[in-house]
Amino acid sequence: DAKTTQPPSMDCAEGRAANLPCNHSTISGNEYVYWYRQIHSQGPQYIIHGLKNNETNEMASLIITEDRKSSTLILPHATLRDTAVYYCIVSYHDMRFGAGTRLTVKP
Amino acid sequence: DTGVSQDPRHKITKRGQNVTFRCDPISEHNRLYWYRQTLGQGPEFLTYFQNEAQLEKSRLLSDRFSAERPKGSFSTLEIQRTEQGDSAMYLCASSTSRDRIPYEQYFGPGTRLTVT
């Protein structure tokens, strides 16, 4: 049962910020928002996670709305190597992946 | 530390045969997860271990599937009497958990199974 809704695909110009949205209106109080990505033929790669507050690491920023019903993953300067399927997951510990968003970074 | 490793990377087998896959997690990680991924879909959760205890199994894990983690380190996933529908990528992931708070999962490269 999908707990998240993501657009199936997005394009982004190389060097620009990529903003990937995710809706999770049924998120529970103890569930975290996780983002992973999967580059073709590889295992998923962890990007970032958060509970309530916005988070930033060397890969990306995560913006969570105050009501926690949606979030946005921001890749500040997208490169061609960021082309991948991006998964937004709300969970306490087990990751239930949906179909994700296929991000294509174009030169 | 070389991350999560899986063996073999590819397996081709005939319908009805048994197959076994191995996963070696990151050494200090106490949690280990198995997932299955078919073409065009996201990974589907199969089961997970905390140390040697198998704590949760998905209904996707039919009685032909069995997973073990005997010493709380590496894990094996066995599929008996394989069917063509078992063809998929089998992914293993590991994580740590402290104070009942989960941490991010690190995935291996997967084992691609083809049943002919």
Side-chain angles (χ1 to χ4, degrees):
Chain A
D1 296 339
K3 286 188 167 184
T4 63
T5 303
Q6 298 179 254
S9 64
M10 293 180 63
D11 291 341
C12 178
E14 187 179 19
R16 304 298 291 270
N19 297 279
L20 291 92
C22 180
N23 288 322
H24 32 80
S25 58
T26 60
I27 190 170
S28 301
N30 65 345
E31 288 182 318
Y32 288 72
V33 180
Y34 290 85
W35 283 84
Y36 286 77
R37 73 180 182 184
Q38 189 170 26
I39 296 169
H40 183 62
S41 297
Q42 298 181 19
Q45 177 190 22
Y46 165 80
I47 300 173
I48 198 167
H49 75 280
L51 185 61
K52 297 181 188 177
N53 301 321
N54 299 337
E55 302 287 346
T56 296
N57 63 20
E58 64 279 5
M59 288 183 69
S61 295
L62 173 60
I63 309 297
I64 303 174
T65 58
E66 193 170 342
D67 63 7
R68 304 211 320 127
K69 292 185 177 182
S70 65
S71 61
T72 301
L73 178 75
I74 301 171
L75 308 177
H77 305 287
T79 71
L80 298 179
R81 287 178 295 181
D82 293 322
T83 292
V85 178
Y86 286 77
Y87 297 101
C88 168
I89 301 162
V90 294
S91 174
Y92 183 63
H93 71 83
D94 56 327
M95 301 298 147
R96 311 290 168 139
F97 289 79
T101 295
R102 181 171 299 277
L103 175 70
T104 303
V105 180
K106 298 186 173 180
Chain B
D1 177 40
T2 57
V4 179
S5 61
Q6 294 187 245
D7 184 70
R9 294 291 308 277
H10 302 273
K11 177 71 176 178
I12 299 173
T13 191
K14 293 186 177 179
R15 188 175 55 189
Q17 298 295 304
N18 299 343
V19 294
T20 300
F21 309 140
R22 176 179 171 125
C23 171
D24 286 89
I26 293 171
S27 57
E28 64 268 25
H29 285 182
N30 60 349
R31 290 192 174 191
L32 187 148
Y33 304 79
W34 285 99
Y35 295 82
R36 180 175 70 186
Q37 185 173 26
T38 54
L39 201 61
Q41 304 297 316
E44 297 172 293
F45 169 79
L46 292 178
T47 188
Y48 93 94
F49 294 83
Q50 177 143 329
N51 300 313
E52 63 274 11
Q54 188 173 17
L55 296 187
E56 187 174 349
K57 292 194 289 187
S58 164
R59 62 181 181 273
L60 293 174
L61 211 66
S62 77
D63 56 7
R64 295 185 298 105
F65 288 68
S66 62
E68 294 183 343
R69 194 182 183 198
K71 297 182 180 178
S73 57
F74 73 92
S75 175
T76 58
L77 177 69
E78 181 183 16
I79 308 174
Q80 296 182 327
R81 306 181 302 281
T82 53
E83 301 172 356
Q84 288 188 318
D86 297 330
S87 295
M89 176 77 83
Y90 289 85
L91 292 160
C92 175
S94 69
S95 75
T96 188
S97 67
R98 292 192 296 271
D99 300 327
R100 305 179 69 83
I101 297 173
Y103 286 76
E104 60 273 18
Q105 295 181 18
Y106 291 87
F107 282 79
T111 294
R112 181 166 295 284
L113 173 66
T114 302
V115 181
T116 61

